[in-house]
């Protein structure tokens, strides 16, 4: 099987896990585990897993200058990304959160243009503004009286921060991951991330009532730690090592489809006109941003 095909399969699996994660994580937060405490569980669990697996991987020395780059990528890809996402998800609904996340490919294009010096054409600029209009529409007017969303506007805004942070992370790691084994890279990524999230999370972590937590909630926490954290980050890193950041970001389009289907089946969310309209606007903006330019032939 071709390397590109394997990379696409890996990113597709990661996208599916992210899609169902919206509802699974929402079932845990904020009643059983508060958002920041959940992030500490994720990052600590992943750090332990990857450093343990690193014992079976050939050791590889990290260049001194790359430690700073990995720490910088960890702040946006682990700390700010996860903290804003889980806090936002605890305040909004799974479908709204997954729709806002679709803005991430647009942010990837913007950061790619500034950091990797790739050219942006007028159609893509138009797509950026259209996509942002859709996101703002959902953030500002996506409010409802549903019990599942205590503060939808703030929640959607925090998910937007998450999408922006994750977009920057995808561009930042592109030039580093080629140099190192994925396990070597990701164990350092999570170790730095653990130090970043610890000050924000330790207080909420101490509030967790482990004795009263049902078995199914334990299983859902385990799913988020093992699959949403370890598997997806590893698969996406492999995808980024073989594909362009903009290509990997395109798979985020599938997240609202998966998240909506799973949320509707499980009864944790519902559709309304604002969600449908905002989704259509965002997808049109993303289409303009990512549409391939046909090369003319002589």
């Amino acid at each position: 099987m071709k390397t590109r095909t394997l990379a696409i399969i890996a990113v597709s699996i990661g996208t599916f896990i992210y899609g169902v994660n919206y509802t699974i994580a929402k079932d845990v937060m904020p009643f059983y585990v508060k958002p920041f405490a959940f992030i500490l569980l994720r990052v600590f669990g992943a750090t332990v897993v990857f450093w343990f697996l690193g014992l079976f991987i050939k050791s590889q020395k990290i260049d001194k200058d790359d430690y700073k780059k990995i720490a910088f990528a960890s702040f946006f890809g682990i700390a700010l990304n996860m903290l804003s996402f889980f806090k936002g998800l605890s305040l909004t609904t799974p479908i709204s959160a997954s729709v806002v996340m679709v803005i991430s490919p647009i942010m990837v294009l913007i950061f790619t243009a500034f950091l990797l010096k790739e050219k942006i054409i007028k159609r893509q600029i138009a797509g950026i503004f259209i996509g942002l209009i859709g996101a703002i529409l959902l953030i500002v007017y996506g409010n409802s009286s549903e019990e599942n969303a205590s503060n939808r506007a703030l929640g959607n805004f925090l998910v937007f921060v998450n999408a922006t942070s994750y977009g920057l992370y995808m561009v930042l790691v592109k030039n580093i991951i080629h140099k190192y084994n994925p396990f070597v890279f990701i164990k350092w990524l999570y170790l730095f991330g653990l130090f970043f999230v610890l000050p924000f999370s330790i207080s909420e972590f101490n509030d967790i009532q482990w004795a009263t937590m049902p078995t199914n909630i334990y299983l859902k926490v385990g799913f988020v730690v093992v699959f949403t954290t370890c598997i997806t980050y590893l698969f996406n890193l492999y995808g980024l090592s073989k594909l362009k950041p903009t290509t990997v970001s395109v798979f985020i389009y599938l997240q609202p489809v998966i998240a909506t289907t799973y949320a509707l089946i499980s009864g944790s969310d519902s559709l309304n006109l604002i969600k449908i309209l905002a989704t259509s606007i965002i997808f049109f903006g993303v289409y303009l941003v990512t549409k391939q330019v046909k090369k003319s032939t002589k």
Side-chain angles (χ1 to χ4, degrees), residues 140-181:
V140 177
Y141 297 104
N143 273 330
S144 74
S145 58
E146 296 178 36
E147 295 180 1
N148 208 24
S150 58
N151 191 338
R152 188 184 297 243
L154 178 58
N156 290 339
F157 173 73
L158 289 173
V159 176
F160 176 80
V161 173
N162 155 249
T164 303
S165 178
Y166 189 69
L168 178 56
Y169 156 78
M170 291 178 71
V171 176
L172 289 174
V173 300
K174 179 62 180 176
N175 293 330
I176 311 174
I177 54 178
H178 293 288
K179 299 174 64 175
Y180 305 105
N181 182 289

Side-chain angles (χ1 to χ4, degrees), residues 212-234:
T212 59
M213 193 180 295
T215 303
N216 68 314
I217 298 299
Y218 273 105
L219 293 175
K220 289 177 179 180
V221 170
F223 176 90
V224 173
V225 172
V226 176
F227 289 94
T228 308
T229 309
C230 298
I231 301 298
T232 55
Y233 268 74
L234 193 59

Side-chain angles (χ1 to χ4, degrees), residues 4 11 26 118 147 169 192 219 244:
R4 180 180 173 82
V11 176
K26 181 69 177 181
E118 289 191 9
E147 295 180 1
Y169 156 78
F192 282 119
L219 293 175
K244 291 182 178 181

Side-chain angles (χ1 to χ4, degrees), residues 46-112:
T47 302
V48 172
V49 168
F50 286 122
W51 276 86
F52 174 75
L53 293 176
L55 297 175
F56 305 96
I57 305 297
K58 184 179 179 181
S59 60
Q60 195 173 12
K61 186 178 180 180
I62 305 290
D63 294 340
K64 289 184 179 180
D65 291 338
D66 286 341
Y67 278 116
K68 295 179 182 178
K69 295 177 182 178
I70 295 173
F72 198 56
S74 178
F75 175 78
F76 289 103
I78 302 295
L80 182 59
N81 167 37
M82 290 188 182
L83 291 171
S84 59
F85 174 70
F86 267 46
K87 184 64 176 180
L89 182 59
S90 71
L91 298 174
T92 187
T93 64
I95 293 177
S96 294
S98 65
V99 169
V100 176
M101 269 301 295
V102 178
I103 211 74
S104 190
I106 294 177
M107 307 314 297
V108 169
L109 179 78
I110 294 173
F111 292 128
T112 299

